[in-house]
Amino acid sequence: MKVLMFGWEFPPHISGGLGTACYGLVKGLAHHNQDMIFVVPKLWGDEDPLAEFVNASDVEIDYREKRFRSVWKNLTYLEVGSFLIPYLSPEQYASFTQGIKEGKENLEDSVFSTKFSFSGKYGKDLIQEVSRYALVAAQIAKDKHHDIIHAHDWLAFPAGIAAKSISGKPLVAHVHATEFDRSGQTVNQQVYEIERAGMEAADKIIAVSQLTKNTIVANYGIPEDKVVVVHNAVLDTSAIKSKEVKKVPEKIVTFLGRITFQKGPEYFVEAAAKVLRKDDNVRFVMAGSGDLLNRMIQRVAELRIGTKFHFTGFLRGKDVDHMFAISDVYVMPSVSEPFGISPLEAVRHNTPVIISKQSGVAEVLQNAVKVDFWDIDAMADAIFALLHYDGISRMFKELGREELKRLKWEHVALKVIKVYKETVNQ
């Protein structure tokens, strides 16, 4: 069986957990000799060769193909601010866009072929890139033999839909997060519509947690039996014995993630203030970047804890490992976390973790302190206990390491392969 997989990023060039999860899954599937074509908007040339990689920026599209007409019409629901094919001469652009407005454009009579250069990032033209990516996906689906299509999150859902419309092969939509996780109840309607279209078009949906499945069923109207839960894992379950040495005498408590509504950074700041009132021999670190960063800096100043609170900015690679290694406690106070791999990485570094009950990882990581994200008193008490009672801290470290051994991507990959087989056989 050959899988045509669409993602948006792949290590080492990533912006968050989506790329890491894609890498883990692809590596796990490769371990079981699964044949894969992995497509991303932009390749950098230093990706681990675990699959047949396709750089969408190198794919030339021939609009004379009749089948592209239906793909184009299906993409118009995205309602972007400008048209989806901007790389034309003024004459071609005027002619093409006028035809779309009138609904009479005949794509098979077009006389041009083209290809797009993708940034592969998350800028202001993201929706346009998502749309163009879908057009490229249609061409790839025409050119590359495959038995099933696998699309990761809303960024790749239109690509999955387009590929399915061309090849007729079944589509698996992999939901790592929903718009409700990212934005709460103030959802971006455009992104929500893309997500719902992808889920409705899919033959099967993989959710990274039961929490995510519940959101899909309740908020997107998807039948429960269409969604299967497959939890994430970690790339390496072995314990890391770091030689990093703390350069400060205080205990260190760390938040590491995007500083956005979804991750609950404000609750971490408020809990930090409560802990520091009891014990000022602690330093708190907020590692990451995001739209709430300035607000968190301002709140730290208002609470007068700036001398004990540090903002590192976005960390990657060895800097992340260093941060985990010198931390005495790791806290993930997410408001809504579909899964959350970072606590598993903290456990690998022998760091006890506190996680919100509103996270998917809480379903698989039993030996962690779990609190409601909004309960800053419970969060502060848990931090204080792990910092001051060695027996409790040691227990969570030891049990966490044992538990981690079960959470391998090779095991996850076997579950995904089972989904492939069942979907193809339906």
Side-chain angles (χ1 to χ4, degrees):
M1 185 187 308
K2 194 158 194 172
V3 182
L4 176 57
M5 190 176 290
F6 293 96
W8 194 257
E9 57 180 29
F10 201 83
H13 303 277
I14 62 172
S15 297
L18 177 60
T20 302
C22 286
Y23 178 73
L25 178 58
V26 169
K27 191 170 184 178
L29 290 169
H31 178 81
H32 297 292
N33 300 312
Q34 177 63 61
D35 197 3
M36 293 170 286
I37 303 166
F38 194 93
V39 187
V40 287
K42 184 180 179 65
L43 285 177
W44 301 86
D46 52 357
E47 292 81 7
D48 195 350
L50 297 168
E52 177 189 345
F53 281 95
V54 176
N55 186 355
S57 297
D58 290 339
V59 176
E60 189 171 273
I61 307 170
D62 188 349
Y63 294 97
R64 291 170 294 189
E65 277 283 332
K66 284 186 177 182
R67 288 175 290 181
F68 280 94
R69 181 196 302 166
S70 61
V71 173
W72 173 260
K73 287 182 178 178
N74 287 336
L75 282 174
T76 57
Y77 81 90
L78 294 176
E79 299 177 359
V80 295
S82 59
F83 291 100
L84 306 182
I85 307 180
Y87 305 120
L88 308 176
S89 69
E91 294 79 11
Q92 289 173 319
Y93 183 84
S95 173
F96 195 76
T97 54
Q98 183 60 34
I100 292 170
K101 288 177 183 177
E102 297 173 359
K104 297 177 181 178
E105 181 66 20
N106 200 350
L107 287 183
E108 72 264 27
D109 292 335
S110 297
V111 294
F112 60 88
S113 297
T114 189
K115 60 183 180 181
F116 303 115
S117 294
F118 294 93
S119 71
K121 297 181 180 179
Y122 301 87
K124 61 183 177 63
D125 297 325
L126 178 59
I127 294 290
Q128 292 185 38
E129 289 214 343
V130 167
S131 307
R132 293 195 291 268
Y133 189 38
L135 291 174
V136 174
Q139 185 71 51
I140 295 170
K142 170 182 173 290
D143 295 340
K144 298 279 188 181
H145 167 73
H146 58 282
D147 300 294
I148 193 167
I149 302 159
H150 188 150
H152 292 277
D153 257 4
W154 74 270
L155 297 154
F157 284 176
I161 295 171
K164 179 178 178 179
S165 70
I166 291 295
S167 70
K169 301 299 182 181
L171 169 64
V172 174
H174 202 144
V175 181
H176 298 264
T178 70
E179 182 60 11
F180 292 90
D181 299 308
R182 290 181 291 268
S183 305
Q185 295 302 313
T186 312
V187 301
N188 181 316
Q189 191 64 28
Q190 195 171 22
V191 173
Y192 171 79
E193 293 295 340
I194 296 172
E195 287 180 328
R196 188 173 65 177
M199 295 179 199
E200 290 176 347
D203 298 273
K204 187 66 76 174
I205 298 169
I206 295 175
V208 296
S209 63
Q210 184 63 44
L211 185 75
T212 303
K213 177 176 179 175
N214 294 344
T215 300
I216 292 170
V217 173
N219 294 356
Y220 294 83
I222 303 298
E224 190 172 351
D225 59 0
K226 188 177 179 179
V227 189
V228 59
V229 174
V230 180
H231 293 104
N232 285 336
V234 284
L235 292 171
D236 188 347
T237 59
S238 61
I240 296 175
K241 296 181 180 179
S242 175
K243 295 181 180 178
E244 298 286 353
V245 178
K246 272 196 304 186
K247 297 181 180 178
V248 294
E250 298 98 332
K251 297 289 182 72
I252 294 177
V253 181
T254 298
F255 168 107
L256 191 149
R258 286 179 291 112
I259 305 177
T260 62
F261 161 82
Q262 178 191 1
K263 301 296 183 179
E266 59 267 53
Y267 302 102
F268 180 76
V269 171
E270 298 300 329
K274 287 181 174 291
V275 172
L276 288 169
R277 290 190 196 111
K278 293 182 180 180
D279 180 8
D280 66 354
N281 194 38
V282 186
R283 287 181 186 264
F284 288 84
V285 176
M286 183 166 284
S289 59
D291 61 297
L292 293 184
L293 175 59
N294 289 338
R295 190 186 304 179
M296 294 304 99
I297 294 173
Q298 182 178 355
R299 183 57 180 157
V300 165
E302 290 171 351
L303 291 168
R304 300 182 181 276
I305 58 174
T307 58
K308 295 291 184 177
F309 205 106
H310 306 270
F311 295 90
T312 69
F314 182 76
L315 300 181
R316 57 166 55 86
K318 292 182 179 179
D319 290 332
V320 172
D321 291 334
H322 174 75
M323 196 66 249
F324 280 133
I326 64 173
S327 297
D328 296 282
V329 177
Y330 174 72
V331 184
M332 189 186 77
S334 298
V335 173
S336 179
E337 186 72 54
F339 189 77
I341 291 178
S342 57
L344 303 182
E345 294 294 342
V347 171
R348 287 190 65 211
H349 286 82
N350 206 36
T351 303
V353 300
I354 300 169
I355 55 179
S356 74
K357 295 177 182 178
Q358 293 73 26
S359 64
V361 73
E363 297 170 17
V364 297
L365 190 58
Q366 302 306 317
N367 294 293
V369 180
K370 301 172 188 178
V371 298
D372 289 305
F373 71 86
W374 45 263
D375 194 343
I376 56 175
D377 289 320
M379 194 182 303
D381 288 343
I383 293 170
F384 188 88
L386 288 172
L387 292 178
H388 290 84
Y389 301 105
D390 291 340
I392 296 176
S393 178
R394 187 167 57 252
M395 177 188 72
F396 279 110
K397 289 177 182 180
E398 293 172 355
L399 294 177
R401 286 198 302 270
E402 287 301 311
E403 191 171 28
L404 199 63
K405 294 176 183 178
R406 299 184 289 103
L407 304 174
K408 296 183 177 181
W409 277 110
E410 298 97 283
H411 302 158
V412 173
L414 284 175
K415 296 177 183 178
V416 172
I417 290 172
K418 182 181 178 183
V419 172
Y420 289 160
K421 290 178 179 178
E422 291 176 350
T423 306
V424 168
N425 291 333
Q426 281 179 346

